[in-house]
Amino acid sequence: MNAAMAADRLRMAEDDARAFYLVRAVEAGDENHALLTREDRSEADLAGARLGEGSAPADFLAARAHFAATRLETRHPAVKRALAATRFPGWLAAVVPLVAFVLGLASNELASGKRLDLLAVPLLGLVAWNLVAYAAMAVRSIAGSRVPAASGWLAKPRKWLAQRGAAWSAETSAALGRFGADWARVAGKLNIRRGAIVLHLGAAMFALGVIVSIYLRALTVEYRAGWESTFLGPDAVHTLLGWVLGPASAATGIAIPDVEGIRALAWENGGENAGPWIVLYTATLVGFVAVPRLLLAGWNALAAARGKRRIAIPGREDFYTRRLLRARDGGGAELRVTPYAYTPDAATQASLSDLLRAALGEGVAVRFDSPVPYGNEDAWVEGVAFSDQTDIHVALFSLSATPERENHGWFADALRLRLHKERPGQRLVAVVDEGPFRRHFAGQSGLEERVAERRANWEKLLKSFGTTALVMDIAAADPAAEAQRLEALTTGEALYA
């Protein structure tokens, strides 16, 4: 996405954005209006319009989405459960730290005796683990990282939707699948922040639990500080304790004994009163674990509070959003029709325009390009200029032509790729007019079989190039009968293709 398109993106509060992405996913694929009826959509438009003229686009879209989402939740329990599955469980921020504090109390080795082992894993290991965690966070921050679309709790909505999808209708399953994928993508960073809050609070409370455990037992028991090791001697222990407890020693003024003093602390020599060492370990755990973790939790909480108010949704660069905003403002979609190796007459152009308006509304503006000559597709695709106002680009072919990969297929694919790169909010569809072929061979036996064969060849060719084709006799088509097929082609599943 280029800078101009990024600037067009809108921002919503989290609940508003969740409703928007749900309704967008439903309307993109609910071709038969099984989930949201035409009346529902019209009433949703009115709900947004009640905000009045001049309302911000995001406010209009949010009001419309909430109305439609409420209808969906009321009629389809699966939608309500799916929305609940996308909400981060806020109770984790209370339960996890509490459990971590209890585990800190229980993990202290002092609970089973009167010794403060200077090399105890709950003490040294806790400091080491947090230092490694800080280093990993620093590396990730410097190197940059992308939020995995389906990792950890981010995968919960998608996995849950996938597991339950078999019990739902095809429309519900497809819509909620799209919604789950969209939401994991746009809310991923926000949920990463929330998960970080939980983890940082848990780490801080675990350390505080260890400290509280030490002091509670020290009130009624005299602890002796000492050490023993199979592999470390007094020199190594002195160096290790200097690395770990040195900052606390400087802050508290409590000196760490020299090598001979450390040698005298070996358990075989009886150790010494643990009071000064308890203070040193307390200062170390507070300074290296509790305080940094609480600061990190606070920083992530501020970032999450800001992020939940600014969830990105597609702006006017997106077909769906642009169509809704144009309808609000009284305008209609703009379509551009480019015939390839085919010159439609005035009647055919008028009929296609009527068909498109029947499908997309009377406000639709249809513009026809001059036909692209056969063999001149390279120069046309390279030199064509695209308008920002176009919503749908229709490539028009004739069934009379034999579909060729090197020409018809290349034209459709090259046009699709240019649109995807330069105007990703525009839709490319293909219409193949079977009228000239029918009229040329009218009255001949086997006409329907020949039409069916050519139709299948055209559909197969264009599908292989990523474009869906609609084959019809344009001049003879009944707008009421063909409107639904055209509407599905121009506003349906291709949004997520």
Side-chain angles (χ1 to χ4, degrees), residues 15 40 57 109-110 153 168 223 235 296 303 312 333 352 450 485:
D15 286 341
D40 291 335
E109 289 186 0
L110 298 176
W153 61 88
W168 302 332
Y223 282 109
D235 289 334
L296 286 169
L352 180 58
R450 296 173 67 183
R485 285 211 301 158

Side-chain angles (χ1 to χ4, degrees), residues 125-147:
L126 186 56
V127 174
W129 167 52
N130 280 274
L131 291 178
V132 170
Y134 299 151
M137 284 185 275
V139 170
R140 182 178 179 183
S141 177
I142 295 172
S145 62
R146 298 179 62 182
V147 176

Side-chain angles (χ1 to χ4, degrees), residues 30-34 38 355 358-360 470 472 478-492:
D30 188 18
E31 301 170 4
N32 299 319
H33 303 94
R38 292 182 184 275
L355 287 167
L360 302 174
L470 181 61
M472 65 168 66
D478 178 4
E482 296 294 349
Q484 187 171 347
R485 285 211 301 158
L486 270 171
E487 182 185 35
L489 180 68
T490 53
T491 64

Side-chain angles (χ1 to χ4, degrees), residues 246-254 283:
S249 175
T252 62
I254 299 175

Side-chain angles (χ1 to χ4, degrees), residues 158-290:
R158 299 181 69 178
K159 290 180 178 178
W160 185 86
L161 292 169
Q163 292 168 355
R164 295 301 303 271
W168 302 332
S169 68
E171 293 87 355
T172 303
S173 179
L176 294 183
R178 286 189 296 267
F179 167 59
D182 279 349
W183 191 250
R185 174 176 51 81
V186 300
K189 290 185 178 179
L190 175 59
N191 285 330
I192 287 286
R193 296 282 190 198
R194 289 166 169 163
I197 294 170
V198 173
L199 295 178
H200 289 313
L201 288 177
M205 294 306 293
F206 184 85
L208 292 176
V210 172
I211 293 170
V212 170
S213 175
I214 293 174
Y215 276 96
L216 286 178
R217 290 210 25 106
L219 291 175
T220 58
V221 173
E222 180 192 0
Y223 282 109
R224 305 291 294 175
W227 65 275
E228 61 183 359
S229 173
T230 301
F231 301 106
L232 301 180
D235 289 334
V237 172
H238 179 267
T239 301
L240 177 61
L241 293 178
W243 288 344
V244 176
L245 303 178
S249 175
T252 62
I254 299 175
I256 297 174
D258 57 17
V259 174
E260 291 304 317
I262 294 296
R263 187 189 306 277
L265 285 174
W267 287 123
E268 62 187 27
N269 298 321
E272 69 175 13
N273 183 278
W277 294 100
I278 290 176
V279 174
L280 287 176
Y281 265 110
T282 297
T284 298
L285 292 178
V286 170
F288 277 105
V289 181

Side-chain angles (χ1 to χ4, degrees), residues 5-82:
M5 291 179 182
D8 287 339
R9 291 181 73 84
L10 305 175
R11 302 282 176 174
M12 285 184 179
E14 183 180 9
D15 286 341
D16 295 339
R18 182 183 286 107
F20 172 84
Y21 277 106
L22 169 68
V23 176
R24 180 175 183 261
V26 168
E27 291 189 290
D30 188 18
E31 301 170 4
N32 299 319
H33 303 94
L35 302 178
L36 277 177
T37 66
R38 292 182 184 275
E39 291 74 17
D40 291 335
R41 301 179 196 209
S42 296
E43 291 181 26
D45 291 337
L46 291 174
R50 292 192 189 100
L51 297 177
E53 294 185 8
S55 61
D59 293 337
F60 163 78
L61 295 171
R64 182 186 185 281
H66 274 297
F67 181 93
T70 299
R71 286 286 175 91
L72 288 167
E73 288 186 84
T74 301
R75 296 173 183 167
H76 307 282
V79 172
K80 187 173 184 178
R81 293 195 295 270

